[in-house]
Amino acid sequence: MDLKVLRNLSYGVYLVTALDGMRPCGCVANSIMQISSRPATVAVSINKENYTHSLISRHGYFAVTLLAQDTDPGLIGTFGFQSARTANKFDGLDFTFEEGAPVPANVGCGWFSCQVTGSYDAGTHTVFFARVTDGAPRPGEPMTYSYYHKVIKGKSPKAAPTYQPEEEPAPAGKVWKCGICGYIYEGDTPFEQLPDSYTCPLCRQPKTVFKAE
Amino acid sequence: MDLKVLRNLSYGVYLVTALDGMRPCGCVANSIMQISSRPATVAVSINKENYTHSLISRHGYFAVTLLAQDTDPGLIGTFGFQSARTANKFDGLDFTFEEGAPVPANVGCGWFSCQVTGSYDAGTHTVFFARVTDGAPRPGEPMTYSYYHKVIKGKSPKAAPTYQPEEEPAPAGKVWKCGICGYIYEGDTPFEQLPDSYTCPLCRQPKTVFKAE
């Protein structure tokens, strides 16, 4: 059995957002799909260790923002590689309340709000089934998971259903890799000559968390 | 509520295949995703009207073939726009038996076999949860649902979870459209001058099923 075949499944990249009281929280997800059209129903797989998982389980409401190719990859760093237990991921982000969930304003190529109608225990993850209660497209090309990996050079958080260790062979020669999110620096300026103010474009952690491999 | 946002969700294009006794059957699906990695588990949404649905419900085994950009689109016509009740979709296709399900040989960028572990009733569709029992990647670029629509100019079968009527505005001027699968002829030769042997490249139906719009 060669599970690398599962890497050829196609996904988008999404923010799944929910409320902790009045505090907006959220995480990154890729395993989201429509499962019926009348009424519009979706399924979302969320790792049980994600703080957002506990919010959805408790309240039954969440929203999905569909990231676009031109979405700031820093949002993926903030929402995908930090925890709402220690970070306010919406800091500096405009958002609205939509049907019981926070929705970042002007981000990505659309959003929809959801009310949970059921769930399935998949071991490490829960699949939530939800009726779509509102939503609207925004202009933009959807960011696919493949685009995120190949063009943005992003990695999968360990909590992702699709996470597999050692996703790619190490490139030949010395490379500088973010110790938080795995981003590999590929700029023209030698990494050592970057200013101390350099931060990872994906997860916004400082230059000091990069390691040479 | 503008449900067009759901068209911005990203999917692949897959064959879901199962056995009817010793007869191999199958359909096209796009709503397939991995829901956990240890053990590898997937979710698949299948319309209850599909013959393949009854086979999976009855036996609990199926396989998924991941179509690639260079896969013959005619396979989508055969598997997506015909029914196993009246057609032998595997006619002319080599296949193997893998863990209780038929797998087309040398098609697409990989395959995996599945054993059902649970299901969720989503009204018109059932979501099957399944453990991946075997599988292997094959070389090739995955065909995304977006690629199928934009490059191959394919349509959604009415049984798809993602189906919405009137998916695209009609192009200006007279167009020739396949009455079975919705494929729009865009060749340089005027449609009327095509030989009588012309068949729809998507669903392989004869020239006579095309209608001018």
Side-chain angles (χ1 to χ4, degrees):
Chain A
M1 176 155 65
D2 185 349
L3 284 179
K4 282 199 292 292
V5 60
L6 297 178
R7 297 182 191 171
N8 284 346
L9 290 169
S10 298
Y11 304 94
V13 184
Y14 311 105
L15 302 184
V16 175
T17 49
L19 282 174
D20 182 14
M22 287 302 282
R23 186 171 75 110
C25 297
C27 64
V28 171
N30 48 69
S31 287
I32 297 180
M33 66 183 188
Q34 188 172 355
I35 56 174
S36 66
S37 59
R38 293 181 308 276
T41 312
V42 296
V44 180
S45 181
I46 304 283
N47 191 298
K48 291 177 181 175
E49 292 179 4
N50 280 0
Y51 192 66
T52 309
H53 181 281
S54 65
L55 301 178
I56 298 174
S57 299
R58 211 180 313 154
H59 303 301
Y61 293 92
F62 64 93
V64 174
T65 297
L66 296 76
L67 300 193
Q69 289 182 3
D70 61 0
T71 299
D72 173 11
L75 275 180
I76 301 175
T78 303
F79 279 83
F81 292 94
Q82 298 186 27
S83 171
R85 291 182 186 89
T86 54
N88 281 319
K89 301 184 180 183
F90 277 72
D91 274 359
L93 266 188
D94 286 336
F95 66 95
T96 57
F97 292 108
E98 306 287 350
E99 305 284 331
V103 174
N106 307 316
V107 169
C109 55
W111 66 275
F112 55 90
S113 52
C114 295
Q115 182 172 7
V116 173
T117 54
S119 66
Y120 177 81
D121 186 340
T124 53
H125 292 65
T126 299
V127 180
F128 294 103
F129 307 102
R131 194 170 55 82
V132 177
T133 53
D134 201 355
R138 291 172 177 150
E141 276 297 308
M143 180 191 291
T144 63
Y145 198 51
S146 167
Y147 184 92
Y148 170 66
H149 278 289
K150 290 184 183 166
V151 181
I152 303 181
K153 310 284 185 191
K155 302 297 172 191
S156 307
K158 285 188 179 166
T162 48
Y163 175 75
Q164 292 187 11
E166 298 297 327
E167 289 205 347
E168 286 166 29
K174 184 171 159 185
V175 297
W176 287 89
K177 188 173 177 181
C178 175
I180 304 299
C181 74
Y183 173 82
I184 292 174
Y185 176 74
E186 289 185 334
D188 294 330
T189 306
F191 187 81
E192 295 85 342
Q193 293 173 24
L194 290 172
D196 289 344
S197 59
Y198 175 81
T199 56
C200 172
L202 256 193
C203 70
R204 293 185 172 149
Q205 296 300 308
K207 185 183 173 187
T208 50
V209 306
F210 277 75
K211 290 173 189 160
E213 290 193 349
Chain B
M1 176 154 66
D2 184 350
L3 284 179
K4 284 199 291 293
V5 61
L6 298 177
R7 297 182 192 170
N8 283 346
L9 290 169
S10 298
Y11 303 94
V13 184
Y14 311 105
L15 302 183
V16 175
T17 49
L19 282 174
D20 182 14
M22 288 301 282
R23 188 171 75 109
C25 296
C27 64
V28 171
N30 48 69
S31 287
I32 296 180
M33 65 183 188
Q34 188 173 355
I35 56 173
S36 66
S37 59
R38 292 182 306 277
T41 312
V42 296
V44 180
S45 182
I46 304 283
N47 192 298
K48 291 177 180 175
E49 292 179 5
N50 280 1
Y51 192 67
T52 308
H53 181 282
S54 65
L55 302 177
I56 298 174
S57 298
R58 210 182 313 153
H59 303 301
Y61 293 91
F62 65 93
V64 173
T65 297
L66 295 77
L67 300 193
Q69 289 183 3
D70 61 359
T71 299
D72 173 11
L75 275 181
I76 300 175
T78 302
F79 280 82
F81 293 94
Q82 297 186 27
S83 172
R85 292 181 185 90
T86 54
N88 281 318
K89 301 185 180 183
F90 276 73
D91 274 359
L93 266 187
D94 286 336
F95 66 96
T96 56
F97 292 107
E98 307 287 351
E99 306 285 332
V103 174
N106 306 317
V107 169
C109 55
W111 65 275
F112 55 90
S113 53
C114 294
Q115 182 173 6
V116 173
T117 54
S119 65
Y120 176 81
D121 186 339
T124 52
H125 292 66
T126 299
V127 180
F128 294 103
F129 306 101
R131 193 170 56 82
V132 177
T133 53
D134 201 355
R138 291 172 177 149
E141 276 297 306
M143 181 192 291
T144 63
Y145 198 52
S146 167
Y147 184 92
Y148 170 66
H149 279 288
K150 290 183 183 169
V151 181
I152 303 180
K153 310 281 185 193
K155 302 296 172 193
S156 307
K158 285 188 180 167
T162 48
Y163 174 75
Q164 293 187 10
E166 299 297 329
E167 289 204 350
E168 285 165 29
K174 183 172 161 184
V175 297
W176 286 89
K177 188 172 176 180
C178 174
I180 303 300
C181 74
Y183 173 83
I184 292 174
Y185 176 74
E186 290 185 334
D188 292 331
T189 307
F191 187 83
E192 295 84 343
Q193 295 175 23
L194 291 172
D196 289 343
S197 60
Y198 174 81
T199 56
C200 172
L202 256 192
C203 69
R204 291 185 172 147
Q205 297 299 309
K207 186 182 173 186
T208 49
V209 305
F210 277 75
K211 290 173 188 158
E213 291 194 350

